[in-house]
Amino acid sequence: MSVAMTRGVLFVHSAPAALCPHVEWAVASLLDDSATLEWMAQPAAPGMFRAELAWTGAPGTAIQLASTLRGWTHLRYEVTEEASPGTDGGRWSHTPELGIFHAVTDAHGNIMVSEDRIRFAYEAGAGDPAAVYHELSLALGEAWDEELEPFRHASEGSNVRWLHQVG
């Protein structure tokens, strides 16, 4: 009997130098001892470092990574997990100011907002479009995206994958 596997990516957007080895130890304890992060300077936050790691593991590995790193002061990160048989994909985003955000994602990485969450937005809005907009903004994690976007951009010397239009 084979064990279901999935994959994902850990993006550490910013970490102080003193915290980098602790992040590596935590990640290695969950994935395997050979998991190492290549740290680079984070130009969006001088004195901070960034790293990313593609991982493979059992479904639920991303939530373990996100939970392990949650609450570490000054750490900004995102963890993604692809869908696997019987399990939705997900994205966990964390900032020191906002805490952690979780969203279910589809095969393309789009956030999927549940029917109940949309109904709640309508009910909470009570006819006020601004209130509905606010609730849907929360459901999509827009505040986390706004805070993390400057840290997501590749810095000089980073590995950047360029996609070219075909045809």
Side-chain angles (χ1 to χ4, degrees), residues 31-153:
L31 298 177
D32 64 42
D33 292 332
S34 65
T36 58
L37 297 166
E38 183 179 330
W39 296 97
M40 296 173 277
Q42 172 53 274
M48 297 284 208
F49 294 87
R50 62 193 301 267
E52 69 179 66
L53 177 70
W55 57 267
T56 302
T61 297
I63 186 62
Q64 291 177 335
L65 286 167
S67 295
T68 297
L69 300 177
R70 180 178 172 215
W72 290 12
T73 308
H74 308 297
L75 187 64
R76 288 177 182 85
Y77 66 88
E78 290 181 280
V79 185
T80 64
E81 181 170 305
E82 293 182 4
S84 56
T87 306
D88 292 323
R91 182 175 85 198
W92 291 260
S93 303
H94 179 271
T95 74
E97 293 79 18
L98 298 172
I100 198 159
F101 169 78
H102 170 256
V104 174
T105 57
D106 68 10
H108 304 289
N110 297 306
I111 291 176
M112 306 300 295
V113 180
S114 72
E115 177 182 340
D116 288 340
R117 185 69 167 130
I118 294 170
R119 286 181 200 270
F120 176 80
Y122 286 153
E123 292 169 7
D128 178 7
V132 173
Y133 176 85
H134 173 74
E135 290 300 326
L136 292 176
S137 175
L138 288 173
L140 293 170
E142 288 181 350
W144 285 262
D145 283 339
E146 288 174 15
E147 187 170 328
L148 290 173
E149 193 60 29
F151 296 92
R152 291 176 177 149
H153 292 288

